[in-house]
Amino acid sequence: MRHNKKFNHLGRKAAHRNAMLANMAISLIRHKRITTTLAKAKALRVYVEPILTRAKDDSTHSRRVVFGYLQDKNAVTELFKEISTKIADRPGGYTRIIKLGTRQGDAASMAFIELVDYDENMAKTKVAKAKRTRRGGAKKQAEAVEAPAVEEAPAVEAPAEEAKAE
């Protein structure tokens, strides 16, 4: 019986699957975003998120445990130096999977998996949104932002007049 054995075997033996997931995790750490099939992306998320959680605690033991999974010194160093500082305050959910459609050759569903804190496009949209309230707070904030922009125009004209006088 196979009760409670829910993870996807991806059509591979255990050693091949572990090696593939380790290589994909190293690529994700280095490039911050990789494109793969949807099934592999979901399996990679399950594999890499506990590693990222372990990287928040920078101790010798944590480094050795992570190195046991990844087997790449450069990836472990980058994980503990750069990535761990960005994900320090995040309580989980370090990766995002976005579906891309189907691959032309075999119609496999494709997706890319990325580290959430390294996507500049998503970060810009979150900051740009104005806070909305039922009392019209967004309108008042927009008016306050527009007011200082008008005062800068007279300061630019003064140097042009001095150049004509000479």
Side-chain angles (χ1 to χ4, degrees), residues 11 17 43:
R17 185 173 55 249

Side-chain angles (χ1 to χ4, degrees), residues 66-160:
V66 169
F67 184 76
Y69 284 102
L70 299 181
Q71 296 292 317
D72 187 351
K73 286 184 182 180
N74 296 330
V76 172
T77 302
E78 186 173 351
L79 176 64
F80 278 89
K81 283 188 177 177
E82 289 181 30
I83 297 174
S84 65
T85 57
K86 278 204 164 191
I87 64 171
D89 57 340
R90 184 175 289 277
Y94 312 111
T95 58
R96 175 186 300 125
I97 297 175
I98 298 180
K99 296 178 184 177
L100 297 176
T102 57
R103 184 163 51 195
Q104 181 147 9
D106 59 353
S109 56
M110 298 297 290
F112 66 77
I113 181 169
E114 65 183 357
L115 296 176
V116 172
D117 295 317
Y118 282 90
D119 189 12
E120 295 84 18
N121 296 331
M122 292 290 197
K124 288 179 185 175
T125 56
K126 287 182 182 176
V127 174
K129 274 190 175 180
K131 183 178 178 184
R132 293 183 163 212
T133 62
R134 290 185 177 189
R135 297 177 297 226
K139 293 178 186 175
K140 292 178 184 176
Q141 288 177 359
E143 293 172 2
V145 171
E146 292 175 10
V150 178
E151 297 175 13
E152 295 178 17
V156 176
E157 296 175 18

Side-chain angles (χ1 to χ4, degrees), residues 30 42 45 48 52 57 64 67 74 79-80 119 128 142 151 160:
R30 283 190 183 153
K42 288 179 178 181
R45 177 175 52 193
V48 81
L52 294 171
D57 175 34
R64 287 179 176 168
F67 184 76
N74 296 330
L79 176 64
F80 278 89
D119 189 12
E151 297 175 13

